[in-house]
């Protein structure tokens, strides 16, 4: 079962997707953040418009919640075209994809989310559609089998993936444009939060937007989710206007601290400190101690802790860093001398660690 976390970049529910749709920018000029990407993307879009041709096929990759779907819709709007959306796991039969491809109009954008999860059969079927804008459809079987060549109208394929390394080389090579989306700095997230608050009709000041942004783990989807949680808290506990004090109380009620960590993140770090002296420790041992799945820790917990420097991966296992200890209130001392010093947590006699 998937754990629902307020600070998860993944989509939690279909209802949340509907709310986020109303908050998405419609044009590239309205898009906040990813400035280098937007500058690079604007060139082929404008060039394609001048030639009166569809844009090249685009691959967007990066962590969840950073705006890949939003960019796909923006590409279609900039080209004055329609967006047809689907996902890799939902395309299980060639007939499903055949119906989508044959109904595309000239210049339409076909958006496939989680494209790395396409089955090999669907991949093989889509290759001629991407390259030559035609598909070979087999009817009947055995001696009566016939191949029907079906021409397609020229379209743009926009693929999105959180794990670009899982894309097969033949599929990856058929994209003309590649763009990586990275995490957002706090100032850009604060700008996104301010814009979303205006669309939601929720008064917010600069300081409050900044406090929410600093807990949003560099992800717009999380920023908008936390904004809605704070808005609900403010509407119940106050007059609906968000101020810094209300923002802090609302986020504390969600279990999210100043660094953007939630209860699972803190448990992960605390167990590594208290039970394994800060590491190195294997991920399987941590998972067993926490009674969590290894995949949950690797996919949902470790990436952010590694990014902010709270955790290190070594050949011997995971190690908690000094700044993580400072944040959690543990005092770290180095014992011994030389290059290969052992890291321990100072404590009262008889213990190996202690909170400050």
């Amino acid at each position: 079962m998937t754990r629902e976390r307020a600070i998860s970049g993944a989509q939690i529910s279909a209802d949340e997707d509907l709310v986020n749709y109303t908050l998405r920018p419609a044009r590239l000029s309205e898009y906040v953040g990813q400035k280098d990407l937007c500058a690079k993307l604007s060139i082929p879009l404008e060039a394609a418009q001048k030639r009166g041709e569809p844009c090249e096929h685009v691959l967007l990759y990066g962590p969840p919640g950073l705006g890949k779907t939003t960019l796909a819709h923006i590409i279609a709007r900039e080209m004055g075209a329609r967006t047809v959306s689907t996902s890799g796991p939902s395309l299980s039969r060639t007939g499903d994809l055949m119906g989508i491809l044959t109904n595309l109009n000239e210049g339409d954008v076909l958006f496939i989310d989680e494209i790395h999860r396409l089955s090999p059969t669907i991949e093989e079927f889509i290759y001629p559609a991407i390259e030559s804008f035609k598909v070979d459809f087999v009817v009947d079987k055995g001696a009566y089998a016939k191949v029907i060549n079906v021409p397609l109208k020229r379209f743009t394929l926009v693929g999105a993936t959180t794990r670009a390394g899982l894309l097969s080389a033949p599929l990856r090579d058929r994209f003309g444009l590649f763009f990586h989306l990275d995490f957002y700095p706090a100032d850009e997230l604060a700008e996104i939060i301010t814009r979303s608050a205006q669309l939601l009709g929720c008064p917010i000041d600069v300081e409050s937007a900044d406090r929410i942004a600093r807990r949003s783990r560099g992800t717009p989807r999380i920023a908008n989710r936390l904004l809605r949680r704070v808005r609900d808290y403010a509407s119940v506990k106050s007059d609906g206007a968000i101020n810094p004090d209300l923002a802090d109380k609302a986020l504390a009620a969600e279990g999210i601290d100043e660094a953007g960590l939630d209860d699972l993140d803190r448990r992960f770090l605390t167990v590594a400190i208290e039970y394994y002296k800060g590491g190195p420790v294997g991920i399987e041992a941590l998972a067993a101690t926490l009674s969590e799945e290894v995949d949950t820790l690797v996919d949902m917990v470790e990436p952010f802790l590694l990014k902010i420097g709270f955790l290190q991966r070594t050949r011997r296992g995971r190690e908690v860093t000094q700044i993580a200890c400072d944040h959690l209130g543990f005092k770290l001392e180095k014992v011994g001398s030389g290059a290969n010093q052992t890291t321990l947590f100072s404590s009262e006699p008889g213990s190996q660690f202690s909170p400050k």
Side-chain angles (χ1 to χ4, degrees), residues 39-86:
K40 293 176 182 177
L41 179 58
S42 64
I43 301 299
L45 288 178
E46 187 174 346
Q49 283 180 311
K50 288 182 176 180
R51 293 192 302 268
E53 300 175 355
C55 182
E56 288 186 81
H57 303 307
V58 182
L59 179 65
L60 304 170
Y61 62 99
L66 297 187
K68 296 184 291 294
T69 302
T70 299
L71 278 173
H73 286 278
I74 286 176
I75 290 171
R77 289 193 184 97
E78 293 288 346
M79 297 299 298
R82 182 178 57 127
T83 306
V84 178
S85 300
T86 184

Side-chain angles (χ1 to χ4, degrees), residues 40-41 44-45 48 51 53-61 71-72 75-76 79 84 97 101 104-112 115 125-135 152-160 167 170-180:
K40 293 176 182 177
L41 179 58
L45 288 178
R51 293 192 302 268
E53 300 175 355
C55 182
E56 288 186 81
H57 303 307
V58 182
L59 179 65
L60 304 170
Y61 62 99
L71 278 173
I75 290 171
M79 297 299 298
V84 178
L97 183 58
L101 292 174
L104 291 175
N105 297 321
E106 184 74 20
D108 279 355
V109 171
L110 173 60
F111 174 59
I112 303 181
I115 195 170
F125 186 78
I126 205 173
Y127 289 160
I130 299 173
E131 288 185 321
S132 308
F133 300 102
K134 64 179 182 179
V135 288
L152 304 173
K153 295 176 181 177
R154 294 174 62 84
F155 67 94
T156 297
L157 172 64
V158 178
L167 249 66
L171 178 59
R172 187 168 56 247
D173 292 343
R174 283 170 168 81
F175 286 94
L177 301 171
F178 302 83
F179 297 107
H180 175 250

Side-chain angles (χ1 to χ4, degrees), residues 214-234:
R214 294 185 183 280
R215 292 168 167 86
S216 299
R217 302 168 77 113
T219 306
R221 180 179 288 161
I222 298 175
N224 285 327
R225 184 182 300 148
L226 296 184
L227 171 64
R228 293 196 302 274
R229 303 284 173 88
V230 175
R231 177 198 60 177
D232 293 344
Y233 187 92

Side-chain angles (χ1 to χ4, degrees), residues 13-293:
S13 66
D15 291 339
E16 183 183 52
D17 192 40
L18 291 175
V19 175
N20 286 337
Y21 184 80
T22 64
L23 302 177
R24 287 173 180 163
R27 295 287 180 179
L28 205 58
S29 58
E30 302 172 8
Y31 194 90
V32 178
Q34 310 291 343
K35 294 179 181 178
D36 290 342
L37 185 156
C38 291
K40 293 176 182 177
L41 179 58
S42 64
I43 301 299
L45 288 178
E46 187 174 346
Q49 283 180 311
K50 288 182 176 180
R51 293 192 302 268
E53 300 175 355
C55 182
E56 288 186 81
H57 303 307
V58 182
L59 179 65
L60 304 170
Y61 62 99
L66 297 187
K68 296 184 291 294
T69 302
T70 299
L71 278 173
H73 286 278
I74 286 176
I75 290 171
R77 289 193 184 97
E78 293 288 346
M79 297 299 298
R82 182 178 57 127
T83 306
V84 178
S85 300
T86 184
S87 65
S90 67
L91 296 174
S92 57
R93 299 180 301 122
T94 56
D96 299 333
L97 183 58
M98 183 69 176
I100 294 173
L101 292 174
T102 53
N103 283 300
L104 291 175
N105 297 321
E106 184 74 20
D108 279 355
V109 171
L110 173 60
F111 174 59
I112 303 181
D113 197 13
E114 296 300 312
I115 195 170
H116 66 273
R117 296 178 63 184
L118 287 175
S119 67
T121 303
I122 297 296
E123 268 197 37
E124 292 289 339
F125 186 78
I126 205 173
Y127 289 160
I130 299 173
E131 288 185 321
S132 308
F133 300 102
K134 64 179 182 179
V135 288
D136 297 325
F137 196 69
V138 180
V139 295
D140 291 334
K141 295 180 180 180
Y144 300 98
K146 293 184 293 184
V147 177
I148 300 176
N149 186 274
V150 181
L152 304 173
K153 295 176 181 177
R154 294 174 62 84
F155 67 94
T156 297
L157 172 64
V158 178
T161 177
T162 55
R163 308 185 71 176
L166 296 184
L167 249 66
S168 66
L171 178 59
R172 187 168 56 247
D173 292 343
R174 283 170 168 81
F175 286 94
L177 301 171
F178 302 83
F179 297 107
H180 175 250
L181 281 76
D182 203 355
F183 291 102
Y184 291 62
D187 60 335
E188 292 180 351
L189 286 177
E191 188 177 346
I192 292 172
I193 290 168
T194 301
R195 176 184 177 275
S196 297
Q198 291 175 348
L199 294 173
L200 293 171
C202 176
I204 190 171
D205 56 37
V206 175
E207 178 63 23
S208 300
D210 183 67
R211 295 193 183 190
I212 298 173
R214 294 185 183 280
R215 292 168 167 86
S216 299
R217 302 168 77 113
T219 306
R221 180 179 288 161
I222 298 175
N224 285 327
R225 184 182 300 148
L226 296 184
L227 171 64
R228 293 196 302 274
R229 303 284 173 88
V230 175
R231 177 198 60 177
D232 293 344
Y233 187 92
S235 66
V236 172
K237 299 293 185 180
S238 183
D239 59 358
I242 299 175
N243 58 52
D245 183 57
L246 279 172
D248 287 341
K249 289 180 179 178
L251 295 171
E254 293 287 337
I256 302 168
D257 63 21
E258 295 83 357
L261 306 186
D262 70 351
D263 293 334
L264 181 57
D265 298 318
R266 290 190 291 273
R267 283 176 53 218
F268 180 96
L269 294 170
T270 302
V271 164
I273 293 170
E274 294 185 345
Y275 288 80
Y276 301 101
K277 306 177 186 178
V281 54
I283 190 65
E284 292 83 3
L286 284 170
T289 307
L290 289 165
S291 299
E292 296 281 356
E293 296 292 333

